């Protein structure tokens, strides 16, 4: 899942970018509202995490602007404005959720996971397919109770395949979901992660099938 983080505080912004990246998301971090509006026009995001107190344009104006343009990417507002009137204004401007500062990282992670489940088309915290059991809360994949050790990027790719099991996931979809502005992530890199996952899934009753010219599909082995 690709996330746009809009936060003007350098220390907090860097920390949140590192934290969300460690959770398996591709994160672009910007500190100004005008740059954020350009990014939203030029890139496709699955979630915007938006601070309201920005140095150039108020966060509510940013939100209102891209909603008027018909951009319906989900928005999680982070702000020190915790009065009821501020929360109502944020939600009325088009925010999907609201988290007041200061907040715990665990709560932020839980709310982002909820958006991720909606993005992947599932509302349940556990996704099962064949012998695989993916816990979206604890970010763990188990096979017959045993933990399957994978990297953060491998887990993100496998999560996309699991959420669309028996359906094609294109290289472009994977690349877009895992790429950040400053990251060198290509379709060739996707092939590397698919190769690694195939090795890890050998003998587990599930396989990643290449659909030539389209992408990949997770299937049960017959």
């Amino acid at each position: 899942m690709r996330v746009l983080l809009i936060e003007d505080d350098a220390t907090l912004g860097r920390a949140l970018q590192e934290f969300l990246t460690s959770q398996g998301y591709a994160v672009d971090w910007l500190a100004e509202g005008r740059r954020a509006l350009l990014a939203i026009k030029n890139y496709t995001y699955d979630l915007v995490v938006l601070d309201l107190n920005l140095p150039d344009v108020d966060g509510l104006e940013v939100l209102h602007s891209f909603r008027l343009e018909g951009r319906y990417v989900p928005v999680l507002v982070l702000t020190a404005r915790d009065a009821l009137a501020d929360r109502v204004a944020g939600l009325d401007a088009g925010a999907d959720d609201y988290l007041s500062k200061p907040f715990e990282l665990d709560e932020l992670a839980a709310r982002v996971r909820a958006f991720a489940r909606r993005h992947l088309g599932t509302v349940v915290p556990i996704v099962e397919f064949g012998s695989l059991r993916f816990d979206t809360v604890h970010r763990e994949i188990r096979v017959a109770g045993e933990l399957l050790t994978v990297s953060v990027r491998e887990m993100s790719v496998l999560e996309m395949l699991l959420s669309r099991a028996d359906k094609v996931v294109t290289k472009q979809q994977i690349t877009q979901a895992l790429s950040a502005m400053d990251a060198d992530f290509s379709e060739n890199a996707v092939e590397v992660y698919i190769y690694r996952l195939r090795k890890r899934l050998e003998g587990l009753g599930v396989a990643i099938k290449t659909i030539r010219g389209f992408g990949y599909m997770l299937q049960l082995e017959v």
Side-chain angles (χ1 to χ4, degrees):
M1 187 171 79
R2 188 170 185 179
V3 178
L4 175 60
L5 170 65
I6 310 169
E7 169 59 62
D8 70 312
D9 184 285
T11 301
L12 179 59
R14 188 174 300 107
L16 291 178
Q17 184 183 39
E18 292 177 356
F19 174 72
L20 291 172
T21 299
S22 74
Q23 300 292 298
Y25 308 114
V27 183
D28 293 332
W29 166 39
L30 297 174
E32 298 173 348
R34 290 189 180 90
R35 289 187 64 198
L37 285 172
L38 286 174
I40 291 167
K41 288 180 181 179
N42 294 323
Y43 299 94
T44 300
Y45 292 100
D46 305 304
L47 174 65
V48 173
V49 179
L50 173 65
D51 178 36
L52 296 186
N53 295 319
L54 299 174
D56 57 341
V57 181
D58 185 84
L60 284 181
E61 291 183 33
V62 172
L63 174 58
H64 187 63
S65 293
F66 69 77
R67 285 291 189 248
L68 281 178
E69 293 174 356
R71 303 180 191 279
Y72 297 111
V73 54
V75 175
L76 170 60
V77 167
L78 302 180
T79 182
R81 305 179 193 173
D82 59 355
L84 176 60
D86 292 319
R87 295 198 297 274
V88 170
L91 294 170
D92 283 346
D96 297 273
D97 200 358
Y98 200 106
L99 190 56
S100 298
K101 299 178 180 178
F103 53 84
E104 296 292 333
L105 289 178
D106 285 347
E107 183 176 5
L108 172 63
R111 294 189 186 223
V112 173
R113 284 196 299 270
F115 281 110
R117 286 195 294 271
R118 276 177 251 167
H119 169 67
L120 292 171
T122 178
V123 295
V124 295
I126 304 294
V127 179
E128 294 184 280
F129 185 71
S131 62
L132 300 181
R133 188 176 190 272
F134 177 47
D135 185 333
T136 65
V137 175
H138 298 98
R139 306 297 295 172
E140 293 179 346
I141 299 173
R142 293 184 178 273
V143 181
E146 295 296 321
L147 189 65
L148 182 67
T149 302
V150 295
S151 70
V152 171
R153 277 274 172 84
E154 290 167 358
M155 181 175 293
S156 296
V157 174
L158 185 54
E159 181 178 12
M160 290 188 70
L161 293 170
L162 274 168
S163 68
R164 298 172 174 87
D166 290 322
K167 298 179 181 177
V168 176
V169 180
T170 67
K171 282 186 181 180
Q172 185 179 15
Q173 287 174 320
I174 297 173
T175 302
Q176 181 175 291
L178 300 185
S179 296
M181 288 179 185
D182 57 354
D184 182 17
F185 191 83
S186 66
E187 291 189 0
N188 290 334
V190 172
E191 294 178 4
V192 172
Y193 288 113
I194 292 293
Y195 172 80
R196 292 176 181 172
L197 284 170
R198 280 178 170 148
K199 299 295 287 184
R200 299 189 192 285
L201 295 175
E202 284 181 354
L204 300 182
V206 294
I208 301 172
K209 181 180 179 181
T210 297
I211 309 300
R212 195 166 300 279
F214 292 94
Y216 306 98
M217 182 187 298
L218 189 69
Q219 293 183 316
L220 297 177
E221 290 186 319
V222 180

